[in-house]
Amino acid sequence: MKRKFFFLIFLLITLEILAQTPNYPTRWTLDKCIEYAKENNISINSLRLSKNSAQQDLFQAKEAKYPNLNGTVSQGLFALNSNDGLHVTGAQTQSIGANSSMTIYHANYIKNNEASKNLLVQMADLSVQESQNNITLSITQAYLNILMNEENIVSLENVLKTTQTQLKQGDQLYKAGSLSKLNYLQIQSQVAQDEYNLTSTQNNLRTNIVNLKQLLQLPTNYDFQIAKPDSIIVDDQLKPLPDVQNLAQSQRPEVKYGELNVENSNTNLKMAQASVQPTLSVVGNISTNYSNGNGNYFNQLGNNFYMPIGLSLGIPIYNNRIYKTQIEKSKIAIEQANLDLQNTKTILNQQIEQSYINLQNALSQFDSASKQMNISKQSYDIVNAQMKIGSIDYVQFQQQRLLYIQSIQNYLQAKYTAVLNKQIYEFYAGNPINLK
């Protein structure tokens, strides 16, 4: 019986753990990585909470235009002052009341305060969007690094297979006395070097997988695997730089944030200026009371009913320059907001221009690297065939082999650099990341 009980407890705990485990995909596409990060990244969710907090401030600002209402109930005892001192008579008293007030005029302070809080909500939302853009580019770069490593591993594995085949042939030739011990050792050394290159690239792959996994903030013990696209194509079509810059200036969240910040600073100035203007409010209260020994409870409440209502005018006269300082600081904040906006636009244009230059350079390097690799591959195939029949020495073969391996590295680096820079450049133009 006890065993069944513990088994049931274990089963319930297991089911609870499984219920709390996120439903991760078997393999992660780039789109899935970006989507997951946007929804689950801690920093982004923290910004969302800031937006929710700003939303609550907006709700409060909207309610400021309506009257408030407060109720009071008090219970006490009568105290009489006589010749021999203060005496509590034991007679009970009760007072019931409510009061309300509403601002009628305050130089549009309430309206401007609501507008300011609304702008802050929009700015908070733009901060979320900007953070999403940043994480999108970081994930794209990490994802492409993994793809580059995987493709590089395939190339290095092919090179290793070739040198291992040469080692088998060299072993036969060495045993037959047709190959010197020096050349035989050189082939062995080359196999060891190829194994080292392959291991180094595999280590880089693991590191880059961890980097992407950490960007996604996945559990340490999770077996993270990406889904490789069918093909990675280098697109050499370039949008004109001015067009991309104009699109970015009209769409990017950091620019919109700066523009709203300027608008909000001007609104804050209006609110500061309202502080030195008179405030007109309507105020009123309703109250009644009861005292023990003076008649029926409900009769007293009705007879003692009291309901004054009136207007209250507040006029600022002297406040130790507090309001004047707020006005002047608001003017400074407007100038600072305009400078920040100008700086944001300038930096954005510079970033796009640098991205454009990087893309041009990457495309030209890719074109050269493609030609170099094709020529090196043909040359390597020729010397490899010549090496098998012994028509060239090992030094010549080794030189061509090193050139071929280097051309592979250059090609892959140029290829994925061009793809990354194209994605970044298109992203500035407002296009989503797309490797298809």
Side-chain angles (χ1 to χ4, degrees):
M1 185 66 183
K2 289 184 178 180
R3 294 179 63 184
K4 291 183 178 179
F5 174 75
F6 286 119
F7 176 77
L8 179 61
I9 295 297
F10 174 77
L11 180 61
L12 291 175
I13 293 174
T14 302
L15 292 175
E16 179 68 19
I17 293 174
L18 291 176
Q20 295 176 357
T21 301
N23 186 21
Y24 296 133
T26 304
R27 290 186 174 271
W28 294 70
T29 63
L30 177 57
D31 289 342
K32 183 61 181 178
C33 290
I34 294 173
E35 177 187 353
Y36 179 86
K38 286 181 177 180
E39 293 297 325
N40 298 278
N41 182 267
I42 294 175
S43 297
I44 293 176
N45 282 329
S46 178
L47 291 173
R48 287 195 178 100
L49 291 178
S50 297
K51 177 187 173 182
N52 292 341
S53 178
Q55 187 76 53
Q56 295 302 316
D57 292 335
L58 174 60
F59 292 153
Q60 181 180 348
K62 288 182 177 180
E63 294 295 319
K65 65 171 70 76
Y66 303 113
N68 59 26
L69 179 63
N70 298 291
T72 60
V73 176
S74 63
Q75 189 81 22
L77 298 174
F78 265 126
L80 298 177
N81 190 14
S82 60
N83 295 331
D84 55 349
L86 186 66
H87 297 279
V88 177
T89 66
Q92 296 183 359
T93 66
Q94 186 181 65
S95 176
I96 302 173
N99 61 79
S100 176
S101 66
M102 182 179 71
T103 301
I104 298 176
Y105 173 80
H106 193 192
N108 286 327
Y109 180 91
I110 295 177
K111 178 181 178 180
N112 288 324
N113 185 47
E114 180 180 341
S116 175
K117 295 301 186 291
N118 185 39
L119 290 171
L120 290 175
V121 171
Q122 296 179 56
M123 291 166 65
D125 184 62
L126 291 170
S127 294
V128 174
Q129 294 179 33
E130 183 178 0
S131 184
Q132 288 178 335
N133 286 346
N134 293 335
I135 196 69
T136 295
L137 293 181
S138 297
I139 288 175
T140 301
Q141 183 171 4
Y143 194 91
L144 288 174
N145 285 339
I146 293 175
L147 294 180
M148 182 178 69
N149 287 142
E150 290 182 340
E151 192 169 342
N152 195 16
I153 286 174
V154 173
S155 300
L156 293 176
E157 285 176 341
N158 292 331
V159 172
L160 178 59
K161 289 178 182 178
T162 301
T163 52
Q164 287 174 337
T165 301
Q166 292 171 352
L167 180 60
K168 292 179 181 179
Q169 296 172 344
D171 183 64
Q172 295 173 354
L173 293 174
Y174 176 69
K175 291 178 179 178
S178 302
L179 184 68
S180 68
K181 185 175 182 178
L182 175 61
N183 287 342
Y184 181 54
L185 291 174
Q186 288 175 328
I187 297 175
Q188 289 180 321
S189 175
Q190 191 55 62
V191 171
Q193 181 63 48
D194 289 344
E195 290 175 344
Y196 173 83
N197 292 339
L198 178 59
T199 301
S200 178
T201 304
Q202 290 171 337
N203 291 339
N204 289 336
L205 174 61
R206 281 190 287 269
T207 299
N208 286 319
I209 288 176
V210 170
N211 289 340
L212 179 53
K213 186 176 173 182
Q214 290 176 346
L215 281 173
L216 295 173
Q217 298 174 337
L218 295 171
T220 304
N221 59 352
Y222 175 65
D223 183 20
F224 179 74
Q225 301 289 335
I226 70 167
K228 186 176 181 180
D230 295 334
S231 61
I232 299 294
I233 300 175
V234 177
D235 183 6
D236 59 357
Q237 299 298 316
L238 283 175
K239 289 185 174 66
L241 176 60
D243 292 351
V244 175
Q245 288 178 325
N246 290 335
L247 284 170
Q249 293 290 347
S250 63
Q251 298 177 359
R252 294 284 292 190
E254 57 265 42
V255 176
K256 292 182 179 180
Y257 182 98
E259 292 171 345
L260 291 182
N261 189 35
V262 172
E263 185 177 351
N264 187 50
S265 297
N266 281 283
T267 304
N268 287 334
L269 174 60
K270 294 177 182 178
M271 293 167 59
Q273 290 171 337
S275 299
V276 299
Q277 299 296 321
T279 303
L280 181 62
S281 304
V282 57
V283 295
N285 65 74
I286 181 172
S287 63
T288 186
N289 59 76
Y290 162 81
S291 61
N292 190 18
N294 290 333
N296 180 272
Y297 178 80
F298 291 102
N299 288 337
Q300 286 192 56
L301 293 182
N303 294 331
N304 297 331
F305 189 77
Y306 180 70
M307 189 177 66
I309 187 171
L311 296 175
S312 174
L313 180 64
I315 304 175
I317 298 176
Y318 178 72
N319 47 62
N320 302 97
R321 209 182 183 277
I322 294 176
Y323 297 148
K324 177 65 174 178
T325 300
Q326 290 177 349
I327 292 173
E328 295 304 318
K329 291 180 71 173
S330 296
K331 293 178 181 178
I332 295 173
I334 292 174
E335 295 181 12
Q336 184 62 57
N338 279 294
L339 288 176
D340 290 342
L341 175 59
Q342 182 181 351
N343 186 55
T344 297
K345 290 182 175 181
T346 300
I347 291 176
L348 181 58
N349 277 339
Q350 291 174 345
Q351 290 174 337
I352 297 172
E353 182 179 13
Q354 186 62 55
S355 176
Y356 180 75
I357 294 173
N358 291 343
L359 179 54
Q360 285 184 315
N361 294 340
L363 290 173
S364 61
Q365 288 178 343
F366 174 73
D367 184 60
S368 300
S370 299
K371 295 177 182 177
Q372 180 191 37
M373 189 185 69
N374 290 333
I375 295 173
S376 297
K377 178 65 168 61
Q378 295 176 32
S379 301
Y380 177 68
D381 290 340
I382 292 173
V383 297
N384 190 35
Q386 291 176 337
M387 183 67 180
K388 290 180 180 179
I389 61 176
S391 62
I392 62 171
D393 59 26
Y394 182 79
V395 174
Q396 293 175 305
F397 170 78
Q398 176 66 3
Q399 289 175 343
Q400 189 57 51
R401 182 184 167 285
L402 292 175
L403 289 175
Y404 173 58
I405 293 176
Q406 185 62 48
S407 70
I408 293 176
Q409 306 293 324
N410 292 340
Y411 169 79
L412 292 176
Q413 185 67 44
K415 174 184 176 180
Y416 283 94
T417 299
V419 171
L420 175 61
N421 281 285
K422 181 61 183 295
Q423 293 297 323
I424 294 174
Y425 189 64
E426 290 289 336
F427 196 64
Y428 278 122
N431 298 320
I433 298 294
N434 186 8
L435 297 181
K436 299 177 183 178

